[in-house]
Amino acid sequence: LLLLLLAVSLDLVCLTKACTTILVTKGASSKNVSSCFVSHTNDGEGNTDGRLVKVPPRVFDLPAKRPIFASHLNFPRYVGSERGADNYPRIPNYQEVESQPIGYIDEVEKTYGIFEAAYGVGNDQGLVMAESTCEGIFGARPRPQGKALFSIEELTKIALERTATAVEAVKLMGALAEKEGFYGAGFEGLAESLLVADPEEGWIFHVLPDNTGASAVWAAQRVPDGHVAVVANSFVIREMDLSDPENFLGSNNIETIALELNLWKRGTPFDFSRIYSKGEYNHKYYS
């Protein structure tokens, strides 16, 4: 688990030029490696807050609320005690403003211990994630200016707090984004991608706002054992068979929006990237 966490927490000190993520399944790696693993380079334009923080497992008296914070990747990405009293200590003589929630969701009774950097990294169940910003055809704004509650940072952290497997994480992040809205944040693109893996299997997860700015469109594909997946700032899920939930998952609106906007005709292959991608984030030579 330690090796997996180190692999996915590479928030480089030097200025890098892309967020490239890689997922390696068990059968595609050395015989000495007994689980899937992921890697992530975080571009961040040189000022990303890459501190690796351990948030311990917690137990809550219910009913309780879990605060949701706006996307903020630059240093300091978070100021306060909601992520654990001693996890984000204040820096002497440095001006820091307390982070304020933009909304809340219901808390659960117990959460797993997690590691988080700019994004959620992994948890104590062996679940790990890697992020790469993409471009989608729709955009949204966070609350209160807009209607969307979730950035990719908060989705990763909540999934790691509450789930133990890759497929559980994908389903939870998708459901939350659909219910409360998703937005791409700051200088980043309008959409996001995650490679999500547990010791046994890995999934590709894509998400973008829907056309109302109040929900989300998402897709997920299982990476077969013996294969490797790479995402470099552009969607990679192509033809989907939504009648095969063992390998493909998607939002409830994934087909209806495409039909309503004449982006897809029923009876033809459902190519997620062709329908919902806007190309590579920033420009075609970025990654």
Side-chain angles (χ1 to χ4, degrees):
L1 177 60
L2 178 59
L3 291 176
L4 298 181
L5 294 175
L6 289 174
V8 297
S9 62
L10 294 178
D11 287 299
L12 301 181
V13 175
C14 61
L15 178 63
T16 56
K17 289 295 184 182
C19 281
T20 299
T21 54
I22 302 172
L23 187 157
V24 181
T25 59
K26 291 193 301 182
S29 187
S30 165
K31 294 181 179 179
N32 297 322
V33 178
S34 59
S35 66
C36 303
F37 62 91
V38 299
S39 68
H40 172 201
T41 57
N42 188 349
D43 59 2
E45 308 300 326
N47 55 359
T48 295
D49 184 349
R51 290 176 291 176
L52 183 63
V53 171
K54 180 181 179 180
V55 179
R58 292 185 284 182
V59 178
F60 297 92
D61 293 326
L62 301 182
K65 293 291 183 179
R66 201 275 194 193
I68 307 299
F69 295 94
S71 173
H72 188 82
L73 297 178
N74 294 343
F75 183 88
R77 70 176 183 258
Y78 172 76
V79 180
S81 59
E82 292 283 356
R83 306 300 297 150
D86 301 319
N87 287 336
Y88 287 90
R90 291 184 180 272
I91 300 172
N93 302 318
Y94 190 89
Q95 184 66 34
E96 294 185 336
V97 178
E98 191 90 2
S99 300
Q100 299 298 318
I102 62 171
Y104 296 85
I105 62 171
D106 290 337
E107 187 56 276
V108 294
E109 183 179 3
K110 296 180 180 180
T111 58
Y112 299 120
I114 79 168
F115 283 93
E116 63 186 38
Y119 308 92
V121 173
N123 69 15
D124 56 15
Q125 305 300 298
L127 177 66
V128 292
M129 300 185 182
E131 177 275 346
S132 184
T133 300
C134 302
E135 282 287 9
I137 61 174
F138 305 129
R141 300 182 69 190
R143 301 176 191 176
Q145 297 90 353
K147 302 175 183 178
L149 180 61
F150 284 107
S151 66
I152 199 66
E153 299 98 291
E154 288 289 71
L155 285 179
T156 58
K157 294 169 186 176
I158 291 171
L160 290 169
E161 291 168 1
R162 300 184 178 190
T163 64
T165 68
V167 69
E168 289 174 346
V170 163
K171 290 178 179 179
L172 177 60
M173 291 187 291
L176 289 172
E178 275 191 83
K179 180 179 179 181
E180 301 289 351
F182 171 82
Y183 65 96
F187 70 89
E188 296 186 317
L190 302 175
E192 285 285 354
S193 175
L194 296 169
L195 298 181
V196 186
D198 58 44
E200 298 301 320
E201 68 174 6
W203 285 74
I204 306 167
F205 176 75
H206 294 335
V207 61
L208 71 156
D210 77 339
N211 54 332
T212 71
S215 184
V217 179
W218 64 273
Q221 180 177 355
R222 189 178 70 86
V223 181
D225 190 39
H227 289 245
V228 172
V230 179
V231 177
N233 296 116
S234 185
F235 287 160
V236 299
I237 295 176
R238 302 305 303 255
E239 291 186 16
M240 300 182 68
D241 180 1
L242 293 169
S243 67
D244 178 13
E246 295 296 317
N247 292 290
F248 295 96
L249 296 168
S251 54
N252 292 320
N253 58 9
I254 193 171
E255 291 185 337
T256 55
I257 290 177
L259 288 169
E260 290 170 1
L261 299 181
N262 294 317
L263 301 172
W264 171 66
K265 293 183 179 180
R266 196 176 297 280
T268 63
F270 190 86
D271 186 331
F272 180 84
S273 292
R274 180 168 184 157
I275 296 167
Y276 287 111
S277 176
K278 198 178 176 181
E280 186 176 357
Y281 165 64
N282 201 355
H283 57 75
K284 65 180 181 178
Y285 300 116
Y286 183 77
S287 296

